[in-house]
Amino acid sequence: MNNYDTVVIGGGPAGLAAAISAHDNSAKVFLIEREKRLGGILKQCIHDGFGLIYFNEKLTGPEYAEKFIDEFKQRNIEATLQSFVTKIEKQNDLFMIKYVTEKGVMEVVTKTIVLSTGCRERTSRQIFINGTRPYGVFTAGTAQYFTNIAGCLPAKKCVILGSGDIGLIMARRLTLEGVEVVGVYEILPRPSGLTRNVCQCLEDYDIPLYLSHTVTKLYGENRLEAVDVARVDGNMQVIEGTEKHIPCDALILSVGLIPENELAETLSVPIDPKTKGPVVDENCMTGIEGVFTCGNAMQVNDLVDYVTITAEKAGKEAATYQKKVREYIPVSASEDFMYVIPQHVSIGAKGKVDFYFRSKAIEKDVTLNIESEGRAIYKRKYTHLRPPEMEKLSIALDFSQINGSISFTLAR
């Protein structure tokens, strides 16, 4: 049985950055990845737009991943591929991790864990569309894999449900490959993806976007033959008489992502119902001492650059972790926010603390107020806030002087 200072679970962009950061902070690191290649989802994201914040250059997904894979290999960090973690147990101050490889069941012991397990896509089962269950209903990520990795087109004529970023990108990608994209249908009254993707992927290719619309029914036995779409009202209820029948051989779903946290839950890590990721402090540590999280396992990010930034923080803190009594300042947010991370900050936290948040609605010319027990401690004006675009706020406060909780509010 091998002993390590830090074990990183997941070898995508978050896991690679966390492992490199932990290694560079003098930890003995071991990485466990379930696929046969490192890089995670970026391997199939052949479009550019990655790295604008972190590297200050425009990269494709494979190019972004390769930079970290090269750094990872140069450091000779130990790793196992095609390996699945089946069990994690905490014994005293150590973690026993069991995982399965082609050689059988293996076990390692570690002082700290970094969960960088990423996220998964919502499927048709989770949005309850009426009708049959024919072949031809894909998540956007699956369609992306078929097109960019497997080299086969999943459709000739398709409808895209949901305007998440992967769906927008696949609308463009499939159009370039000769697929007829009838349109992108979004149940919300606003797009769910980044503004740049709406412009570059839909408007530039004359692909229509239908807001306040959803798919109501599927048709077909062996293969999808058609779908019904309809308008919805402000309560997201279908408006009778607005149904439209659209012949197509594929429905591509881009209806949201969910952090992968089954392993966290086996450790009884507290989960935030808003982010669907673990409750964390300013150091990316969860409610279980010695267990850290980052990237899309902590919250769904719209930019991989932020995945890397949180992963580097988690890797460093895991490597330098020391058990001690911790006291926290709770962080809350008004109904104007979808969420704010971290959910609590250590009393006496030093240096800048990175906060991440999303507004619940589109906001223009608002002031972000951070208060403690009614006392203003920070203000910042924003000309524009949109739910699909996560905001990062780095602020230095003397947290030892704050009594009570911290609250985020918006003033219009």
Side-chain angles (χ1 to χ4, degrees):
M1 186 184 303
N2 294 321
N3 287 39
Y4 296 90
D5 298 316
T6 301
V7 169
V8 177
I9 302 176
L16 289 167
I20 292 168
S21 178
H23 176 275
D24 290 352
N25 282 277
S26 303
K28 182 182 179 184
V29 181
F30 185 60
L31 183 145
I32 303 173
E33 165 57 34
R34 65 186 176 187
E35 295 189 7
K36 62 182 179 180
R37 292 172 53 202
L38 297 170
I41 195 67
L42 291 185
K43 297 191 298 290
Q44 66 188 51
C45 300
I46 64 173
H47 54 280
D48 63 15
F50 300 92
L52 293 171
I53 294 174
Y54 190 85
F55 290 112
N56 198 31
E57 61 177 313
K58 188 185 294 185
L59 303 169
T60 65
E63 287 174 331
Y64 189 98
E66 196 65 29
K67 285 180 176 288
F68 289 94
I69 293 172
D70 290 344
E71 292 288 335
F72 182 87
K73 292 180 177 179
Q74 287 173 11
R75 287 164 172 77
N76 294 315
I77 299 172
E78 293 183 62
T80 178
L81 305 180
Q82 291 185 285
S83 302
F84 297 82
V85 174
T86 58
K87 191 175 184 180
I88 306 176
E89 290 183 328
K90 189 171 186 180
Q91 298 182 4
N92 298 320
D93 294 330
L94 297 175
F95 296 94
M96 319 290 288
I97 301 176
K98 287 186 178 180
Y99 62 97
V100 178
T101 73
E102 59 183 7
K103 297 179 181 179
V105 179
M106 315 292 284
E107 190 169 310
V108 293
V109 177
T110 181
K111 297 177 183 177
T112 61
I113 296 173
V114 178
L115 298 171
S116 54
T117 46
C119 58
R120 66 177 183 271
E121 295 177 279
R122 295 181 186 273
T123 67
S124 59
R125 289 181 177 272
Q126 293 165 305
I127 57 174
F128 307 109
I129 303 176
N130 293 327
T132 55
R133 292 291 179 265
Y135 179 74
V137 180
F138 309 100
T139 65
T142 300
Q144 188 179 61
Y145 176 85
F146 282 150
T147 307
N148 295 344
I149 301 295
C152 58
L153 284 180
K156 294 181 180 178
K157 181 178 182 180
C158 74
V159 166
I160 297 179
L161 176 60
S163 59
D165 289 309
I166 305 176
L168 298 177
I169 289 164
M170 284 311 298
R172 176 181 63 184
R173 183 76 179 95
L174 292 171
T175 297
L176 289 171
E177 292 296 336
V179 176
E180 181 185 351
V181 179
V182 178
V184 175
Y185 295 82
E186 170 59 57
I187 196 169
L188 297 174
R190 55 169 174 77
S192 297
L194 296 173
T195 300
R196 75 182 192 195
N197 285 332
V198 174
C199 296
Q200 296 173 2
C201 300
L202 299 187
E203 294 176 4
D204 287 357
Y205 290 84
D206 296 323
I207 300 171
L209 171 62
Y210 300 93
L211 300 176
S212 298
H213 279 76
T214 191
V215 172
T216 58
K217 191 172 182 179
L218 308 181
Y219 296 89
E221 294 299 327
N222 296 323
R223 176 82 193 205
L224 183 70
E225 297 175 1
V227 301
D228 284 348
V229 300
R231 288 186 60 85
V232 298
D233 60 22
N235 295 317
M236 297 189 185
Q237 299 300 309
V238 172
I239 302 173
E240 292 188 15
T242 63
E243 295 86 356
K244 183 179 180 181
H245 189 73
I246 303 176
C248 60
D249 64 353
L251 172 65
I252 296 175
L253 305 175
S254 182
V255 291
L257 303 168
I258 307 171
E260 290 267 18
N261 277 304
E262 285 75 8
L263 288 176
E265 290 172 347
T266 64
L267 285 166
S268 299
V269 170
I271 301 296
D272 186 332
K274 294 181 179 179
T275 64
K276 304 297 188 295
V279 174
V280 294
D281 65 12
E282 76 282 3
N283 296 321
C284 300
M285 189 168 76
T286 70
I288 302 298
E289 287 278 324
V291 178
F292 297 79
T293 186
C294 58
N296 286 340
M298 182 169 69
Q299 61 170 330
V300 176
N301 293 264
D302 43 79
L303 298 176
V304 72
D305 308 69
Y306 291 139
V307 167
T308 298
I309 292 169
T310 59
E312 289 180 335
K313 166 67 78 173
K316 177 182 177 181
E317 297 300 330
T320 59
Y321 165 78
Q322 291 183 345
K323 185 179 180 181
K324 62 181 180 181
V325 177
R326 301 172 195 275
E327 294 184 75
Y328 288 116
I329 302 167
V331 177
S332 64
S334 69
E335 291 298 317
D336 294 321
F337 296 86
M338 293 176 66
Y339 64 80
V340 174
I341 290 179
Q343 291 87 349
H344 49 227
V345 178
S346 302
I347 294 176
K350 298 179 180 179
K352 289 186 176 181
V353 171
D354 291 337
F355 289 96
Y356 299 88
F357 67 88
R358 292 182 191 270
S359 62
K360 186 170 286 187
I362 297 175
E363 303 282 359
K364 294 183 179 180
D365 299 320
V366 293
T367 299
L368 169 66
N369 293 312
I370 303 179
E371 300 177 341
S372 177
E373 303 300 314
R375 180 174 62 91
I377 57 178
Y378 183 85
K379 287 187 177 184
R380 179 172 174 178
K381 291 185 177 181
Y382 286 89
T383 57
H384 206 92
L385 293 175
R386 294 184 68 249
E389 296 168 2
M390 186 181 71
E391 298 290 336
K392 177 176 179 285
L393 177 65
S394 298
I395 57 176
L397 296 172
D398 186 353
F399 291 96
S400 64
Q401 300 299 312
I402 295 176
N403 297 316
S405 63
I406 295 174
S407 63
F408 281 61
T409 60
L410 289 180
R412 296 169 181 83

